[in-house]
Amino acid sequence: MSAVPADAVFRALADPTRRRVLERLGRGPATVSDLAKPFEMALPSFLQHLRMLETAGLVSSTKVGRVRIYRLVPERLKLAEDWHARQRRLWETRLDQLDDLLKTLKESES
Amino acid sequence: MSAVPADAVFRALADPTRRRVLERLGRGPATVSDLAKPFEMALPSFLQHLRMLETAGLVSSTKVGRVRIYRLVPERLKLAEDWHARQRRLWETRLDQLDDLLKTLKESES
DNA sequence: GGAATAGTTAGTCATTGACCTAACTATTCC
DNA sequence: GGAATAGTTAGGTCAATGACTAACTATTCC
């Protein structure tokens, strides 16, 4: 299977730590140590999560002096949201079809 | 980290094969071999994906004779959708706050 | 009852993910 | 310039994932 860009996004979302980081970044940019503070994890482990988020394109970072600042890239989250939207549309279409079927059956009863 | 139920859902979504299965099931229930047909994969490998989807609660199955039928459990997908919605709300709140800030700055200029 | 069909179980293997410690580099601040 | 701070790299462990083949069970159909 060819690895579409969406894959990296979904895989990035699959970890609770990373989702919490995204939630935090939803409230505005933050430095590595800011982001790391709420987690018990050793820094290098945490950095791996940040790297994964960044390669998925969900966050971006810039280094200012010895500090690195991360910010959300919300457009990227849309990839996943869009999938859900498509999926829901599909599902709802199907319910409509069932509806139609039931209606037809009811009508042919009389 | 305690494994919340949402975790299993997100992890299940992290694989393209499984997402395609969900898309297929969005168009209605199907048997194991129906579902497996579009994939090059050996059956046992494919079954593992189905099992993962089922333990995540995203699909359910019943066996009828020697055939097993899978169907979508759309309520479960909502867990992930809700996360996105919450995330978007957060993000938009933040944009509003930035807006307010900019407005305030502009006003104090005059 | 025997062959074909549908799914299942068992066992192997390589890769990736999630964590760790130890040691290092680069910047800032006194 | 030396100490403190912020992040980075290297290297290692362990469990889970994604795939395979081979062999098995349960059902249906002739």
Side-chain angles (χ1 to χ4, degrees), chain A:
Chain A
M1 291 298 96
S2 65
V4 285
D7 271 22
V9 171
F10 278 105
R11 265 183 293 110
L13 292 176
D15 184 273
T17 300
R18 292 193 290 265
R19 287 201 306 279
R20 275 175 67 197
V21 169
L22 291 175
E23 284 165 21
R24 167 63 191 77
L25 288 178
R27 288 191 294 276
T31 67
V32 170
S33 26
D34 273 1
L35 290 172
K37 218 169 292 166
F39 299 91
E40 304 273 270
M41 206 172 297
L43 207 5
S45 318
F46 186 73
L47 285 183
Q48 230 168 358
H49 288 298
L50 291 181
R51 231 171 289 131
M52 212 166 285
L53 285 170
E54 194 158 16
T55 57
L58 286 167
V59 307
S60 73
S61 72
T62 31
K63 195 147 183 187
V64 181
R66 64 182 162 174
V67 166
R68 182 177 290 277
I69 295 168
Y70 277 92
R71 78 201 94 265
L72 199 60
V73 179
E75 307 83 56
R76 198 69 175 173
L77 260 176
K78 266 208 52 148
L79 274 180
E81 284 183 84
D82 288 351
W83 185 84
H84 281 289
R86 244 188 320 118
Q87 185 62 17
R88 176 159 292 282
R89 248 191 335 274
L90 249 173
W91 171 251
E92 271 155 12
T93 304
R94 201 198 146 225
L95 284 185
D96 288 352
Q97 289 168 355
L98 275 180
D99 251 28
D100 289 352
L101 180 64
L102 290 176
K103 227 177 281 174
T104 313
L105 287 175
K106 225 172 187 174
E107 273 159 19
S108 64
E109 258 172 29
S110 54

Side-chain angles (χ1 to χ4, degrees), chain B residues 14-39:
Chain B
D15 183 274
T17 300
R18 292 193 289 266
R19 287 200 306 279
R20 276 175 66 197
V21 169
L22 292 174
E23 283 166 22
R24 167 63 189 79
L25 288 178
R27 288 192 293 278
T31 66
V32 170
S33 25
D34 272 1
L35 290 171
K37 220 169 292 167
F39 299 92

Side-chain angles (χ1 to χ4, degrees), chain B residues 31-33 44 47 63 66 68:
Chain B
T31 66
V32 170
S33 25
L47 285 182
K63 196 147 182 185
R66 65 183 162 174
R68 182 175 291 278

Side-chain angles (χ1 to χ4, degrees), chain B residues 84-98:
Chain B
H84 281 289
R86 243 189 318 118
Q87 185 60 17
R88 177 158 291 283
R89 250 193 329 278
L90 248 172
W91 171 251
E92 270 154 10
T93 305
R94 204 204 142 218
L95 284 186
D96 288 353
Q97 288 168 354
L98 274 181

Side-chain angles (χ1 to χ4, degrees), chain B:
Chain B
M1 289 298 96
S2 65
V4 283
D7 270 23
V9 171
F10 278 105
R11 265 184 295 109
L13 292 176
D15 183 274
T17 300
R18 292 193 289 266
R19 287 200 306 279
R20 276 175 66 197
V21 169
L22 292 174
E23 283 166 22
R24 167 63 189 79
L25 288 178
R27 288 192 293 278
T31 66
V32 170
S33 25
D34 272 1
L35 290 171
K37 220 169 292 167
F39 299 92
E40 304 273 271
M41 207 172 295
L43 207 10
S45 318
F46 186 72
L47 285 182
Q48 228 169 358
H49 288 298
L50 290 181
R51 231 172 289 130
M52 212 167 283
L53 285 170
E54 194 157 16
T55 56
L58 287 167
V59 306
S60 74
S61 72
T62 33
K63 196 147 182 185
V64 181
R66 65 183 162 174
V67 165
R68 182 175 291 278
I69 294 167
Y70 277 92
R71 75 201 96 262
L72 200 61
V73 180
E75 307 82 58
R76 197 68 176 176
L77 259 176
K78 264 206 52 135
L79 274 179
E81 284 184 83
D82 287 352
W83 184 85
H84 281 289
R86 243 189 318 118
Q87 185 60 17
R88 177 158 291 283
R89 250 193 329 278
L90 248 172
W91 171 251
E92 270 154 10
T93 305
R94 204 204 142 218
L95 284 186
D96 288 353
Q97 288 168 354
L98 274 181
D99 251 28
D100 290 353
L101 180 64
L102 289 175
K103 228 178 278 175
T104 314
L105 286 176
K106 224 171 187 174
E107 273 159 20
S108 66
E109 258 173 28
S110 53

